Each structure stands twice: as C-alpha cells, then as structure tokens.
Amino acid sequence: MNFEEMRRLMVESQLVPRGIKDARVLEAMRRVPRHLFAGPQAEQRAYDDSALPIGEGQTISQPYMVAVMTELLELKGDEKVLEIGTGSGYQAAILAELAGEVYTVERVAALAEAARERLRSLFYGNVHVRLADGSLGLPKEAPFDRIIVTAASPSIPAPLINQITEDGIIVAPVGSRFSQQLLKIRKTSKGILEEYHTPCVFVPLVGEYGWKIEE
Ligand code: SAH
C-alpha cells in the first residue's frame, strides 16, 4: 500500500466511522503527508490509529484527535489561527489547508526548527513558526479568529481569552496532568459559551499559564 492509500484508509476506517463529518477536514487529512512529520523511523506507523513519538519526549496526536479538534474550530477558509504546541508541525499543516494564516508557537527550539524546515519544504507559506512560551498566546499577532492548544493545561490560559475576536473559538485539552477533556469556548457578545467534548491525554503545556515543570 502506498502512503496515499494509507491516508484514504485512515480517513475511512478511523475518522468517518467515529463521526467526523466536515468534508474539508476529511479532505485535508487525506492530503497532508503525515509520514513526513512522523520521521523516517515511524514512517510505516504514521497512519496507525495512535499518537507517535517525535523526540524531546513529545508526540504527534492520534489522527482522530487532530480531526476532532480541527472540526471543532469550524474553519471556513480565511481565518487567522493560533496553534500552541507546534511539535512536528502536522496539526499546523492541517490548519494551513483550511484557514488563511496560521501562527504556531513551540517552546522547544529543536522542534520549532525542524517543524519550520519541514513546513517550508512542503510549501506551507501561510504557516509562521515562533519559538516562545505559548501559554502567553502571541500578543504581537493578536487578535485571532481561532486558537487551538495541543498541550494539556489545568484551564484555558487566561491571556488567550483576550486574544480572540468576538465569535472566536478556542479548543484546548483541559484537566489534570494525566487526563483531560477537550473544551471548546466561544466568545460572544453575551459572554463565553463553554462545551466539553472528547476525553483525551496530551503532553503538558509547560509555561507561565500551564504547568511549571514537565513531571
Ligand atoms: N500539534 C503537534 C503536537 C503537539 S505535542 C503536532 O501536530 O505534532 C505538544 C507540544 O507542545 C510539544 O512539542 C511541546 O514542546 C509543546 N509545548 C509545551 N508547552 C508549551 C508552551 N508553553 N508553549 C509552546 N509550546 C509548548
């Protein structure tokens, strides 16, 4: 089976049966070469139904989790999006297929550099990788229409709430250090609406508004 066939199978067997419906999200998952983000050792496992190690103790999320979070963002095509936790850059590439501009923040220099290079070689000119503590958001580029946090925190980092537009959406895994639930919030003229979704397990958001240490 070639990688394109593996991607089609991933979409048909892991995403569609579990309820992912947004046709644009399914198409992006069929298109982005996940194996190039997984690294040569994990290439053959890149389309498995699981998270994958990417070095520095970090992981690329399971394809289903990437799809769920992306679908919850309700992207139409012209949004300015902030991702916190670049990791391999895979989620950023999915976002780049579906939105206008993508800013993605990573705290580990080696990961940020590798992701920047990978995204550049795949011609994702609308992705901007920044090395910083993403728990502070990215005040210089704010406001954003959408924010996605791909590392776990006890609650949504407070600075992020001030960095979304009205009608903006934030999706983040929120909970304890070892188990979380996806939280989607929408900022409206009447206040913040909250919805809880899928249970999940993410590596920790380490920073001023996340956890202070990695253990
Ligand atoms: N979205 C990634 C996977 C994220 S794993 C992908 O598609 O591959 C979580 C990432 O968040 C790790 O790379 C970790 O280093 C990063 N991270 C943790 N705390 C952070 C912080 N405060 N700011 C920015 N990145 C952070």
Side-chain angles (χ1 to χ4, degrees):
M1 221 191 314
N2 65 32
F3 290 120
E4 199 178 335
E5 289 166 344
M6 287 163 94
R7 280 201 291 283
R8 208 167 40 237
L9 190 64
M10 169 187 84
V11 168
E12 296 313 318
S13 67
Q14 300 171 34
L15 309 186
V16 174
R18 291 185 183 130
I20 304 297
K21 290 194 176 62
D22 186 328
R24 295 179 71 241
V25 172
L26 295 172
E27 187 48 38
M29 301 282 304
R30 262 184 225 112
R31 208 158 41 223
V32 177
R34 182 171 161 95
H35 61 283
L36 298 181
F37 294 84
Q41 311 88 322
E43 216 177 58
Q44 290 302 323
R45 285 181 289 133
Y47 299 100
D48 289 0
D49 190 12
S50 59
L52 290 171
I54 52 171
E56 310 284 337
Q58 307 301 329
T59 54
I60 319 189
S61 308
Q62 175 196 27
Y64 172 66
M65 196 51 61
V66 173
V68 170
M69 293 181 89
T70 308
E71 186 169 65
L72 288 172
L73 290 176
E74 302 176 22
L75 297 168
K76 298 290 181 275
D78 57 0
E79 296 83 358
K80 184 174 176 185
V81 183
L82 173 65
E83 178 194 25
I84 297 162
T86 310
S88 67
Y90 175 69
Q91 172 77 68
I94 296 283
L95 297 169
E97 296 272 347
L98 298 171
E101 292 294 317
V102 178
Y103 290 83
T104 180
V105 185
E106 173 56 56
R107 67 180 278 272
V108 177
L111 293 175
E113 197 40 57
R116 186 179 286 133
E117 182 49 33
R118 199 173 277 137
L119 290 160
R120 197 192 57 76
S121 70
L122 291 167
F123 305 106
Y124 284 109
N126 59 338
V127 182
H128 315 279
V129 180
R130 298 289 161 82
L131 182 65
D133 174 5
S135 78
L136 301 168
L138 199 57
K140 272 202 198 134
E141 303 294 344
F144 298 94
D145 303 303
R146 303 288 187 265
I147 300 179
I148 174 174
V149 186
T150 61
S153 56
S155 59
I156 291 188
L160 304 186
I161 314 269
N162 299 325
Q163 294 179 32
I164 45 168
T165 54
E166 190 168 312
D167 274 329
I169 295 172
I170 304 180
V171 174
V174 164
S176 71
R177 175 62 188 79
F178 298 104
S179 87
Q180 307 92 34
Q181 206 168 354
L182 289 184
L183 173 58
K184 169 173 174 172
I185 71 170
R186 190 190 301 268
K187 197 185 214 175
T188 73
S189 55
K190 299 195 185 78
I192 303 280
L193 305 180
E194 291 194 349
E195 268 173 29
Y196 280 92
H197 292 268
T198 324
C200 50
V201 182
F202 278 78
V203 298
L205 182 77
V206 178
E208 193 166 332
Y209 288 85
W211 273 285
K212 299 292 178 224
I213 45 159
E214 278 186 66
E215 288 90 278

